[in-house]
Amino acid sequence: MNMWVHGFCAILVALINFRVTFVLADFEHLEVEPERITLPVGFETMLTCDMNIEPDQFQWKFYPSTELYNSNANIQLSNPGYRLIPENVYSIKGDKSVLPLKLKEEDVGDYQCLAYYGASVVASVPWRVTLSRMGPMPHQETISVSVQAGNTVSWRCYVPESNPPAYMYYQKGDQYVSHPKDADKIGSMILSNVSLSDSNTYRCTTTNTFEKKIINAVLNLEVLHNGPMKAPSFISNPVTKYTALKDACLFLECSAVGNPVPKVSWIKLRSQMPSSRMEIVPGGLIIRNVTSNDDGVYVCTHTNSQGKLSQEITVNYNEEPSINCSNNTIKIKQGENLDFSCEVKGVPEPQIVWFLNGFSVLNDSEIEAVGNKIYFRPVEKRHAGNLQIFARNIVKTVYGSVSIRVFPIATSIDEITTPMHGGQRHKNKKSPNTKRPPKHKPAKMIPPSRPVISRVNDETVVVRWNVTTNNGLPINFFKIQYKDLGLGTNNKDSYRSSSEWNTANSEIPSAQRAHEITELTPDHIYKFRVAAVYLNDACKLSPLSKKFHLQTLDFEQRNPLPLCKITRIETVNHTAVQIYWQCNSFNVPIDGFYINYILATRAGDDYMMTPVEGQDIRSAIIDHLQPDTSYDFKMQSFTQKLAGEFSPLMKGRTAANPAGSVTTVTVPPTSKNVDTSVPDNNIYVIGAVSVIVFGLLATGVILLFVCRRWQKNKLSGEQDKPAVEHHIQADGSDYVVEPKPLHRTNGCALPGNRITITSNPLADADKNPTVIEMRNLANNNVRHQSERLNAQLSESADGHVKHQHKKQLRRSREDCSTGSNYV
């Protein structure tokens, strides 16, 4: 019995470990983003796939392209014409795989790295590799022009087709001509407010890094003090189409000469000019921090007493793709249907491809992918792992990941039946001696404490909380909810007590005890609460915070809080560092310090935060970090009403993981939960099976005793009777004892166990009273044992487990009724 129980527990542990592999893919990513590479034939390069976590295996895919010199070529990642690169071509060392290339024409295309983590595979954004080339120079004639002093002269040489793109630089005699501010990539030479000294011969040269060509085009410029009267005219016609990227700085060139010097004006057709981000400068218009609203047609107009000259210029807005998936972990049962979608944005509209464990889903007959939506009809066990959505346009290729966890269908378990007599089934009867198995109390879910709120600025607060040290159910992550109660006035009627709770998007790691909430409304009153989400996906809410008034403060005055500086960072072990700091003198009492930190390779992501209470503290240990990893640290002092200035950044690094040890670390907010708890209800299943085995042993002993007694009576009877031929025939009714279906817990169920007990072989023997008595005794014993087993299972394994399971679910739903949007 003990061996069976140990074996059953080993199966449970194996199932739990199997489930762990599904969530690991949420953590893994490339440390360095792949890029576009352009080199001449014969040049050597190396593609390095550097994962943050060492995978079980690396693999490389190659998508060939016939467009040798086009770094913007459209290569479909769903194209089945990819090739797997042989293992002897690339090298593997720990968490890195290096693919060397000595570039040839047949090497042009996309290269994709696959990193295997158990059944889950992470596919990288591809490296684009093309050949460099500069096309023939376009024909351009020599220009000779005379202009009035004070004009702005703009002259441009035509750029040849080139990969990578070529750029121009200009010479006045033997000297290079510098560009005006913010116009270094416009491709034109601009001379503002020209004078007699600018009279000269100008030439241009082009290069694309690998190749340089001198262009025969020449500008002979003569600057006059008192030249003839002229209407506005262009020396070189302005560029009429521009492509602008999001947040870039755009220069629209438009410069005309005349006498008198023309005045210039700009308008935008059917829309307003971005007045707060634009600046009219000699030679053109500058638009900073480009947005999608800047797309459209602009008109520049040059006017003097001799006439007017206008030019239309079109701006096309481009933006790299972005992906937002509503869920990054999907839990589903085998055989169920799954519909899933992600929000994808980008200009121009991105092309979308779905990958499952490193390969396109197009060849899977159970999966249909339509744009940003994917349908599983139905979900199979092989669909477990890492689902990726790739979005690609002319600007960039990005992807999003979703972990799919499939709970397999357990082996079916037939219902227990009692012996059949005359075609009638006996009803189950509860045995008066049935005892319930001892109750196993589930681990308690300890909720967070009441949160404390501190102001950072007019729109941001920090929420701090604690969790009492306990042996309860481990916390997977935290969520923060807040409610806007309206303007902070003394009038209670202004409170919006019926407003809904808002849930912050971030999943806060279980080791973190503080988090920033941004984009709040100044001068409003808020309430906050913290939800702890546990490993069983249930949750507990903290008590509500006190009402917090986010008052607007005057930031024109100097920040009164002390400015602190991190002096050193010492490595403690492979998951912790100790930070030391100093602060300048201050007279304002403070509540403590915020220590903000982030992976050094994740610049631009949100920082994690650890609060340190007390104004006299000058060191703190930050733990739950990743082994052998660099972090950026910065800190600030704080009070309830204000946060100080950030200290300068300082880098720190954890020690390498000790050989042979396994470390569990808290991963930045993309981390997902790993369910490692053994279900509490399994104790009832083990108890029920124990009862079945004991009953079968007892039945066997009784049958053995009855058979021996019958044989003894038969021998004594044969000595007194003449020999008679007996035909022994079974009655055709086997007693079938089958276990009743038990509820699965966490996707696990006991294997089917069908036990057949054959009826007494003397069912049709002579009607000896002794034989009849023994047969009735055997039938009664079997029936009694079957009824007893059935009652015990019905009560302990079905009723009690159902009751406990429903009770726990009902309690979890009540606790989280207002926070169900994130569980």
Side-chain angles (χ1 to χ4, degrees):
M1 181 64 186
N2 289 335
M3 293 179 61
W4 188 91
V5 172
H6 286 309
F8 179 71
C9 293
I11 294 174
L12 282 179
V13 173
L15 288 172
I16 293 170
N17 291 335
F18 176 71
R19 295 176 63 190
V20 170
T21 62
F22 294 140
V23 298
L24 290 180
D26 293 338
F27 303 155
E28 295 102 19
H29 58 269
L30 264 73
E31 293 283 10
V32 179
E33 185 174 342
E35 57 188 7
R36 297 180 182 181
I37 298 174
T38 300
L39 293 171
V41 172
F43 273 52
E44 296 182 358
T45 187
M46 290 189 299
L47 309 183
T48 302
C49 184
D50 186 1
M51 302 299 295
N52 67 321
I53 299 176
E54 182 177 347
D56 302 326
Q57 176 189 348
F58 278 106
Q59 196 173 46
W60 286 84
K61 294 165 67 178
F62 172 54
Y63 299 83
S65 174
T66 56
E67 298 191 52
L68 307 180
Y69 310 105
N70 184 6
S71 60
N72 294 319
N74 181 23
I75 301 177
Q76 291 283 353
L77 293 179
S78 58
N79 183 359
Y82 68 85
R83 299 200 301 263
L84 292 177
I85 298 176
E87 293 183 6
N88 60 348
V89 176
Y90 53 89
S91 62
I92 298 175
K93 186 175 181 180
D95 55 4
K96 294 181 182 180
S97 179
V98 178
L99 175 64
L101 291 177
K102 188 173 183 179
L103 207 57
K104 302 183 293 292
E105 288 189 358
E106 54 266 30
D107 296 329
V108 171
D110 277 9
Y111 291 82
Q112 193 173 39
C113 170
L114 306 183
Y116 286 75
Y117 297 88
S120 181
V121 183
V122 179
S124 73
V125 169
W127 285 262
R128 170 64 54 82
V129 178
T130 54
L131 296 177
S132 69
R133 183 185 69 169
M134 183 179 288
M137 302 303 299
H139 176 71
Q140 187 167 347
E141 296 181 354
T142 298
I143 298 176
S144 297
V145 63
S146 298
V147 302
Q148 177 68 26
N151 274 281
T152 296
V153 173
S154 176
W155 177 59
R156 182 177 61 262
C157 289
Y158 299 136
V159 179
E161 291 185 1
S162 176
N163 183 43
Y167 61 90
M168 290 284 181
Y169 55 93
Y170 296 85
Q171 290 176 282
K172 174 186 176 182
D174 295 331
Q175 297 179 346
Y176 288 104
V177 179
S178 61
H179 291 291
K181 183 181 179 182
D182 295 324
D184 58 334
K185 294 183 180 180
I186 62 174
S188 297
M189 179 187 72
I190 298 178
L191 306 175
S192 62
N193 192 22
V194 293
S195 61
L196 294 179
S197 62
D198 292 316
S199 298
N200 212 315
T201 298
Y202 295 84
R203 301 180 184 275
C204 54
T205 303
T206 185
T207 181
N208 68 355
T209 304
F210 302 105
E211 194 172 353
K212 179 179 179 180
K213 290 184 179 182
I214 298 176
I215 302 175
N216 293 326
V218 174
L219 170 66
N220 294 315
L221 176 64
E222 182 184 12
V223 181
L224 306 175
H225 262 311
N226 296 306
M229 304 295 284
K230 288 184 179 180
S233 64
F234 296 123
I235 296 176
S236 295
N237 291 327
V239 176
T240 57
K241 289 185 178 180
Y242 287 86
T243 297
L245 299 180
K246 180 182 179 181
D247 297 329
C249 180
L250 177 65
F251 186 93
L252 306 181
E253 176 205 348
C254 187
S255 180
V257 295
N259 189 14
V261 175
K263 293 183 178 180
V264 63
S265 63
W266 288 82
I267 63 171
K268 185 179 181 184
L269 299 182
R270 296 178 293 277
S271 182
Q272 292 184 349
M273 296 282 287
S275 56
S276 61
R277 296 178 288 107
M278 59 169 273
E279 180 184 0
I280 299 176
V281 297
L285 174 71
I286 294 176
I287 302 176
R288 295 184 173 87
N289 301 321
V290 171
T291 70
S292 58
N293 295 328
D294 298 329
D295 191 277
V297 178
Y298 297 77
V299 180
C300 68
T301 303
H302 297 268
T303 307
N304 67 8
S305 59
Q306 303 301 306
K308 182 169 64 173
L309 179 64
S310 296
Q311 178 66 55
E312 290 187 357
I313 299 174
T314 302
V315 174
N316 294 317
Y317 173 81
N318 279 1
E319 181 178 343
E320 68 181 47
S322 63
I323 299 174
N324 180 23
C325 298
S326 58
N327 205 351
N328 50 18
T329 300
I330 298 174
K331 303 174 184 178
I332 192 167
K333 296 178 181 178
Q334 178 188 353
E336 294 183 348
N337 292 336
L338 172 63
D339 298 346
F340 186 75
S341 65
C342 296
E343 181 183 10
V344 180
K345 297 180 180 179
V347 181
E349 183 178 354
Q351 294 181 340
I352 297 174
V353 177
W354 290 88
F355 272 38
L356 180 62
N357 291 325
F359 294 87
S360 171
V361 301
L362 292 183
N363 295 326
D364 194 316
S365 59
E366 271 78 38
I367 299 178
E368 181 183 4
V370 182
N372 65 328
K373 299 179 180 179
I374 189 168
Y375 308 93
F376 291 75
R377 294 291 185 275
V379 172
E380 301 291 345
K381 287 189 291 185
R382 58 186 172 83
H383 294 146
N386 189 33
L387 178 67
Q388 292 176 276
I389 174 172
F390 285 82
R392 163 178 283 190
N393 65 12
I394 195 172
V395 183
K396 196 174 183 182
T397 301
V398 300
Y399 75 82
S401 277
V402 180
S403 176
I404 299 182
R405 302 169 60 181
V406 179
F407 298 107
I409 298 175
T411 305
S412 60
I413 305 176
D414 298 328
E415 183 181 3
I416 295 179
T417 59
T418 55
M420 298 287 291
H421 291 279
Q424 298 295 323
R425 188 184 302 273
H426 287 273
K427 294 184 179 180
N428 297 332
K429 296 181 180 180
K430 182 177 180 181
S431 172
N433 297 324
T434 300
K435 293 184 179 180
R436 293 187 178 183
K439 293 184 179 180
H440 180 75
K441 294 184 179 180
K444 291 184 178 180
M445 296 182 291
I446 308 299
S449 66
R450 179 193 300 271
V452 177
I453 316 302
S454 302
R455 182 186 182 283
V456 175
N457 56 44
D458 290 348
E459 299 178 349
T460 305
V461 300
V462 170
V463 180
R464 314 194 314 271
W465 67 93
N466 283 306
V467 178
T468 305
T469 303
N470 62 87
N471 295 322
L473 191 65
I475 294 174
N476 187 17
F477 59 86
F478 295 100
K479 281 280 190 176
I480 294 180
Q481 291 187 313
Y482 58 94
K483 180 184 288 189
D484 187 349
L485 300 179
L487 281 171
T489 65
N490 294 326
N491 183 5
K492 295 183 178 179
D493 296 334
S494 67
Y495 290 167
R496 295 184 296 180
S497 58
S498 61
S499 63
E500 297 181 354
W501 286 95
N502 300 295
T503 302
N505 291 330
S506 301
E507 291 186 0
I508 305 164
S510 58
Q512 198 167 327
R513 296 295 184 268
H515 190 73
E516 276 192 357
I517 302 297
T518 59
E519 299 182 358
L520 301 178
T521 306
D523 286 325
H524 277 222
I525 291 180
Y526 288 87
K527 276 198 171 184
F528 297 82
R529 64 187 181 189
V530 181
V533 181
Y534 301 85
L535 286 182
N536 63 353
D537 288 339
C539 71
K540 283 282 190 179
L541 295 169
S542 72
L544 297 182
S545 70
K546 296 180 180 179
K547 292 178 182 177
F548 183 82
H549 185 190
L550 184 57
Q551 293 179 322
T552 303
L553 299 182
D554 183 9
F555 278 88
E556 295 299 326
Q557 300 178 0
R558 180 180 176 276
N559 192 319
L561 299 188
L563 176 62
C564 300
K565 179 181 179 181
I566 299 175
T567 57
R568 71 181 190 276
I569 300 177
E570 295 179 354
T571 300
V572 176
N573 53 40
H574 57 285
T575 62
V577 298
Q578 185 161 9
I579 299 179
Y580 297 86
W581 64 88
Q582 293 178 349
C583 300
N584 56 13
S585 59
F586 58 95
N587 298 320
V588 179
I590 62 174
D591 294 336
F593 307 91
Y594 296 138
I595 298 179
N596 300 266
Y597 57 98
I598 190 174
L599 284 170
T601 57
R602 286 194 178 180
D605 288 0
D606 292 335
Y607 277 77
M608 291 186 290
M609 176 185 292
T610 295
V612 179
E613 307 281 350
Q615 67 176 9
D616 298 326
I617 306 299
R618 292 297 181 269
S619 70
I621 293 178
I622 307 299
D623 54 8
H624 294 85
L625 305 178
Q626 297 188 43
D628 196 18
T629 304
S630 292
Y631 287 83
D632 289 337
F633 293 89
K634 62 181 180 180
M635 63 180 302
Q636 59 187 152
S637 56
F638 74 89
T639 64
Q640 184 180 5
K641 296 182 179 180
L642 190 62
E645 300 293 335
F646 280 110
S647 69
L649 282 176
M650 179 173 283
K651 291 186 180 295
R653 189 177 186 90
T654 54
N657 204 7
S661 67
V662 178
T663 304
T664 302
V665 297
T666 299
V667 181
T670 57
S671 64
K672 295 287 128 195
N673 57 310
V674 179
D675 190 355
T676 60
S677 59
V678 178
D680 295 330
N681 293 335
N682 284 337
I683 188 67
Y684 302 124
V685 177
I686 295 174
V689 175
S690 301
V691 173
I692 292 175
V693 175
F694 178 81
L696 294 176
L697 292 175
T699 303
V701 171
I702 294 173
L703 288 176
L704 182 61
F705 172 79
V706 171
C707 289
R708 287 187 174 181
R709 183 176 178 184
W710 171 78
Q711 288 178 346
K712 182 178 180 180
N713 292 335
K714 180 181 178 182
L715 291 174
S716 62
E718 287 177 350
Q719 295 175 356
D720 301 328
K721 291 186 178 182
V724 179
E725 182 180 357
H726 292 279
H727 178 67
I728 303 175
Q729 178 182 359
D731 64 359
S733 297
D734 292 343
Y735 298 131
V736 181
V737 180
E738 300 173 339
K740 190 173 183 179
L742 301 179
H743 289 285
R744 289 178 298 159
T745 56
N746 285 356
C748 304
L750 289 173
N753 185 18
R754 183 182 180 93
I755 303 172
T756 302
I757 302 177
T758 305
S759 59
N760 192 333
L762 300 181
D764 294 330
D766 57 284
K767 299 182 180 180
N768 190 309
T770 304
V771 174
I772 295 175
E773 180 182 356
M774 289 188 293
R775 184 176 60 194
N776 290 337
L777 177 61
N779 289 341
N780 289 335
N781 283 328
V782 171
R783 181 164 56 253
H784 175 71
Q785 291 296 329
S786 298
E787 291 175 353
R788 182 170 177 267
L789 291 175
N790 190 44
Q792 287 175 331
L793 283 176
S794 298
E795 180 180 6
S796 62
D798 190 20
H800 191 66
V801 171
K802 280 185 178 179
H803 175 71
Q804 292 295 331
H805 188 58
K806 290 181 178 179
K807 183 177 179 182
Q808 183 178 4
L809 287 178
R810 183 170 62 251
R811 184 164 59 249
S812 296
R813 293 194 185 103
E814 291 171 355
D815 291 340
C816 305
S817 58
T818 58
S820 59
N821 56 329
Y822 57 82
V823 176

